[in-house]
Amino acid sequence: MIILITGATHTGKTKLAQQLLERLHYPYLSIDHLKMGLIRSGNTDLTPDDDDELTDYLWPVVREWIKTAIENSQDLIVEGCYIPFDWREDLDSEYLSKIKFICLALTDEYIDANFEDIKSHASDIESRLDESYLTIDLIKEDNQRFIAGFEEAGERIVLIDSCYDETVGKILEELT
């Protein structure tokens, strides 16, 4: 099985992937690591701020990793924000049947009530070097973009609107 986790910035994608790895013992691929490897190696002129272009650039590679894992009967967790809204159009039904898709998003109300807590958990799994850019408006805008894009594509979105741990706990129960 492939577990594909996406969502806006600071929604806990990496934390969820880590928790699934610990419970299921599936390896996981961070699309952010792939992105930074390609940027740092000079294999692209894109920068970490080129989100839309990075999605177009990274998705074909990630898609083929997913297909290869499925063809080899391997389990894999893939997490990152660089999943196109119409990702299903690139995969045949034989692949889609082996993918569990999760999109995490925070409601505006949750962000308003928990902004300091969101920031305090930013480095729970990975060390973020610079969070000075992070504002309530940026997080809200990014979450609204993910919600609108994946809703339009017909995807189920896991909305975190009250208790983060309870919402993520339900996902973990469902998958483990």
Side-chain angles (χ1 to χ4, degrees):
M1 172 177 24
I2 305 299
I3 302 173
L4 185 58
I5 304 169
T6 194
T9 187
H10 292 76
T11 55
K13 299 178 295 294
T14 305
K15 183 175 181 177
L16 176 58
Q18 181 68 35
Q19 290 172 312
L20 287 167
L21 173 141
E22 292 168 3
R23 289 183 183 207
L24 297 172
H25 305 286
Y26 292 4
Y28 84 81
L29 164 72
S30 167
I31 302 172
D32 279 342
H33 291 173
L34 172 62
K35 168 190 78 176
M36 291 310 298
L38 291 164
I39 290 170
R40 287 180 173 176
S41 67
N43 283 309
T44 181
D45 292 329
L46 297 171
T47 72
D49 295 326
D50 296 325
D51 283 343
D52 291 337
E53 295 89 350
L54 281 164
T55 298
D56 294 341
Y57 184 70
L58 296 170
W59 174 245
V61 176
V62 173
R63 178 193 65 222
E64 296 308 314
W65 273 346
I66 289 169
K67 289 167 61 176
T68 301
I70 291 169
E71 290 162 359
N72 289 315
S73 300
Q74 295 173 306
D75 299 314
L76 181 64
I77 301 163
V78 178
E79 68 87 13
C81 62
Y82 303 105
I83 308 295
F85 300 133
D86 63 351
W87 67 275
R88 288 183 189 271
E89 293 178 13
D90 291 340
L91 296 162
D92 295 333
S93 60
E94 67 185 273
Y95 296 111
L96 292 171
S97 68
K98 305 237 184 330
I99 299 171
K100 298 278 187 187
F101 176 79
I102 301 164
C103 178
L104 298 176
L106 308 173
T107 64
D108 285 353
E109 295 76 21
Y110 182 86
I111 296 165
D112 285 335
N114 296 283
F115 181 65
E116 291 303 320
D117 197 37
I118 292 166
K119 287 191 333 184
S120 75
H121 288 285
S123 292
D124 280 358
I125 303 299
E126 58 189 352
S127 295
R128 294 179 183 251
L129 302 177
D130 180 15
E131 292 289 284
S132 62
Y133 69 92
L134 194 62
T135 65
I136 286 179
D137 290 339
L138 183 139
I139 290 181
K140 284 181 179 181
E141 180 182 308
D142 200 36
N143 275 274
Q144 288 304 317
R145 184 174 66 83
F146 272 81
I147 292 167
F150 281 113
E151 276 184 350
E152 185 176 321
E155 296 291 351
R156 175 181 163 239
I157 298 157
V158 178
L159 282 177
I160 299 163
D161 60 358
S162 58
C163 181
Y164 181 89
D165 289 333
E166 183 179 308
T167 303
V168 171
K170 289 178 184 175
I171 296 169
L172 291 168
E173 285 177 27
E174 182 182 308
L175 295 173
T176 59

